[in-house]
Amino acid sequence: LRHAIVIDPGHGGVDPGNPGLYFPGGLVEKDITLSIGKLLRAELMRRGLSARLTRTTDTLIDLADRGASCSSECDLFVSIHVNAMPPGRRRAQTGGVETYFLSDAKTEDQARVAKMENAAIRFETGASGAATGDVGFILRDLQSNEYLRESARLAELVQDDVSGAHPSGGRGVQQAGFMVLTTARRPAILVEAGFATNRDDAAFLASALGAHKIASA
């Protein structure tokens, strides 16, 4: 049986993701994640694996549905995003790739990234009630996450390879409570492929060569 991977290009539709401070030509996070996702699917298929995307066009998919698409006919779940730093002195300098698995955030930075990505729920119809209970929902899920070890190992492998191909290198494996990962029933990671608030990262992510390098890594 061929291994099957679900690739989740973050954001989409009415949710642009982060505005991409230094992306050229009006590109935003949702455009970058889709282009990397499509290249990653092609790369995996070229290697004889089965791969599908949670979205192939500019549409919004609920956070819970993204992870849930990786259940019985799926071996791994990979969600692709672009990071951003809030205004401040670290903003311009901070760059590089981070790979997350689902666990309690240990640092302020990890909590900030999860909060930024979980905020996508505000674009979902009828999700206002769900948003208030999301932390409890995540914590319950963490306790029953039987794939924690495998997710952490997958994050390590991906982080090592992608940081080697990245102009800003890597910022290590991280952990935080991402809603998108809670519903995946297999090892699951979220890759923040670089910072839209860093000039070098943004140019790399928006280039065909950069997107290809990340996908093949």
Side-chain angles (χ1 to χ4, degrees):
L1 188 70
R2 291 199 305 171
H3 284 296
I5 294 107
V6 170
I7 303 155
D8 173 45
H11 309 281
V14 291
D15 173 14
N18 78 60
L21 188 61
Y22 293 118
F23 289 144
L27 288 175
V28 289
E29 179 181 2
K30 67 177 181 178
D31 305 314
I32 303 293
T33 61
L34 185 58
S35 81
I36 293 173
K38 285 178 170 174
L39 291 166
L40 177 55
R41 178 181 61 178
E43 182 70 29
L44 291 169
M45 289 169 77
R46 195 174 65 75
R47 297 184 188 198
L49 297 158
S50 157
R52 58 193 167 86
L53 296 166
T54 55
R55 68 179 181 97
T56 53
T57 56
D58 185 15
T59 49
L60 180 70
I61 295 157
D62 285 3
L63 288 176
D65 294 343
R66 291 171 184 264
S69 61
C70 182
S71 52
S72 55
E73 301 293 304
C74 171
D75 297 295
L76 301 173
F77 179 79
V78 180
S79 192
I80 299 168
H81 291 263
V82 178
N83 220 330
M85 282 298 282
R89 57 186 179 81
R90 290 168 59 211
R91 188 180 208 179
Q93 291 94 306
T94 305
V97 61
E98 296 179 340
T99 308
Y100 284 82
F101 63 94
L102 181 68
S103 194
D104 288 322
K106 282 191 160 56
T107 68
E108 275 180 35
D109 262 344
Q110 292 173 348
R112 175 188 57 76
V113 175
K115 191 178 173 195
M116 175 175 78
E117 301 301 3
N118 290 345
I121 198 167
R122 71 187 185 277
F123 294 101
E124 299 176 16
T125 50
S128 53
T132 50
D134 62 5
V135 175
F137 162 65
I138 286 168
L139 293 178
R140 275 199 308 281
D141 235 76
L142 289 177
Q143 283 147 14
S144 65
N145 186 357
E146 59 193 300
Y147 294 107
L148 190 67
R149 228 186 38 236
E150 291 96 327
S151 296
R153 180 69 184 126
L154 174 62
E156 230 170 78
L157 294 167
V158 170
Q159 178 66 24
D160 284 353
D161 283 357
V162 180
S163 38
H166 203 288
S168 302
R171 291 164 54 82
V173 169
Q174 313 280 345
Q175 58 186 67
F178 291 95
M179 289 181 73
V180 70
L181 299 181
T182 58
T183 49
R185 290 289 163 256
R186 296 290 181 269
I189 58 170
L190 184 144
V191 181
E192 293 281 356
F195 285 78
T197 42
N198 177 288
R199 284 183 191 276
D200 294 341
D201 282 20
F204 180 71
L205 292 172
S207 71
L209 180 65
H212 268 285
K213 278 188 171 177
I214 287 175
S216 56

